[in-house]
Amino acid sequence: MSEATWSVGRVAKRCGVNVSTLHFYEQKGLIKSWRNSGNQRRYKPEVLRRIAVIKAAQKVGISLEEVKQAFLSLPDNRTPTMDDWQQLSKDWQQMLDARIAYLQTLRDYLTGCIGCGCLSMSKCPLYNPDDKLAQQGCGAVILEQAEQRSLADKSNTA
Amino acid sequence: MSEATWSVGRVAKRCGVNVSTLHFYEQKGLIKSWRNSGNQRRYKPEVLRRIAVIKAAQKVGISLEEVKQAFLSLPDNRTPTMDDWQQLSKDWQQMLDARIAYLQTLRDYLTGCIGCGCLSMSKCPLYNPDDKLAQQGCGAVILEQAEQRSLADKSNTA
DNA sequence: GTAAAACCTTAACCTAAGTTAAGGTAAAGT
DNA sequence: ACTTTACCTTAACTTAGGTTAAGGTTTTAC
């Protein structure tokens, strides 16, 4: 345990992922390795944390591309510190807050709009082909706009 | 407007989707049409609402397969009533409530776990290769278990 | 009545996030 | 030393949710 370098199989086992997944992540630029004399991958222990973060991020709906972008903020020359990781998670937490708020808004419209008959009208905030809600980003702004719209939408029918 | 039958192009324009998308939905069994003498698709106005519901569902993260299953509960022989649609949306709202609760739980772990060093430990509730949280379903149960775990996890480090 | 617009079908292509297979090399165990 | 396990690469396959292209027919508009 806690040796200085890890083989791909050991990392895979420890992290509960396939070896092919590690190849895939490397190809996508999410993790890095060097090769030993026999061309086999070797990893720093740091990779375990990266994979853990990838998996945690995926669980909350963050794409690999977003993870990759976030990893760009980590130092390239030294092992990331606690502070580096915490900055990263703070950014994501804000994104998540916004996503949750957006979902709540949509959920609150769901019963109302599907049932009320306004769904096929262009003004309905839930059925909106242009997705103005999404275009405006997710967050507090939407909740306000949503309120304004719900007043305007009353008594529209397909 | 409000004519008894719709062509595919008119439906597409009205709903803000491509004609190819309507072909695709039909192929997947989400909407139905009949053909005129020249083999062109014709739709009942009811299809507009179905498409609206599909789009609304997708916006909250419901898959086409789930929409299809939900549509099975709609009457086949008559046009769905308000009550039919409301039953459908009520079911989805409950699912959404559960999903939102799950996301909130994960969000609450995010900063703590990514920063704290426990992420690569098998006991961490966020980084859990077996995803016991997800296996147990989403809902109130998880929040309780999560609380118990967060006590047990304090001071674990990779 | 003819030309343009809308429609038809089938098939191939696209992204994301991997998995599986095939054929070959390196390292480890006995 | 030899066999098994681990590793390598490349390429094809998977699901979801469509989009794009090609080649041909039907409607519509003038």
Side-chain angles (χ1 to χ4, degrees), chain B residues 87-102:
Chain B
Q87 181 55 52
L88 197 154
S89 74
K90 213 177 289 173
D91 295 344
W92 280 346
Q93 194 163 27
Q94 282 172 15
M95 272 182 46
L96 257 189
D97 281 338
R99 283 191 198 182
I100 289 169
Y102 183 59

Side-chain angles (χ1 to χ4, degrees), chain A residues 132-150:
Chain A
K132 281 174 192 142
L133 277 82
Q135 278 170 30
Q136 249 121 20
C138 329
V141 175
I142 283 173
L143 289 159
E144 291 161 29
Q145 295 183 337
E147 273 168 18
Q148 290 169 15
R149 283 190 216 189
S150 68

Side-chain angles (χ1 to χ4, degrees), chain A residues 113-134:
Chain A
C113 291
I114 289 186
C116 81
C118 79
L119 248 186
S120 50
M121 300 302 297
S122 60
K123 279 187 175 176
C124 175
L126 185 55
Y127 174 59
N128 182 342
D130 307 331
D131 205 354
K132 281 174 192 142
L133 277 82

Side-chain angles (χ1 to χ4, degrees), chain A residues 54-99:
Chain A
I54 292 169
K55 287 302 170 187
Q58 287 188 311
K59 211 178 279 184
V60 297
I62 293 170
S63 70
L64 291 187
E65 187 53 41
E66 289 171 299
V67 174
K68 187 181 169 181
Q69 291 308 312
F71 280 1
L72 291 179
S73 74
L74 294 175
D76 208 38
N77 43 339
R78 60 172 169 79
T79 299
T81 65
M82 208 106 137
D83 280 351
D84 294 324
W85 289 114
Q86 261 168 357
Q87 181 55 53
L88 197 154
S89 73
K90 213 177 289 171
D91 295 344
W92 280 346
Q93 193 163 29
Q94 282 172 15
M95 271 182 47
L96 258 188
D97 281 337
R99 283 191 197 184

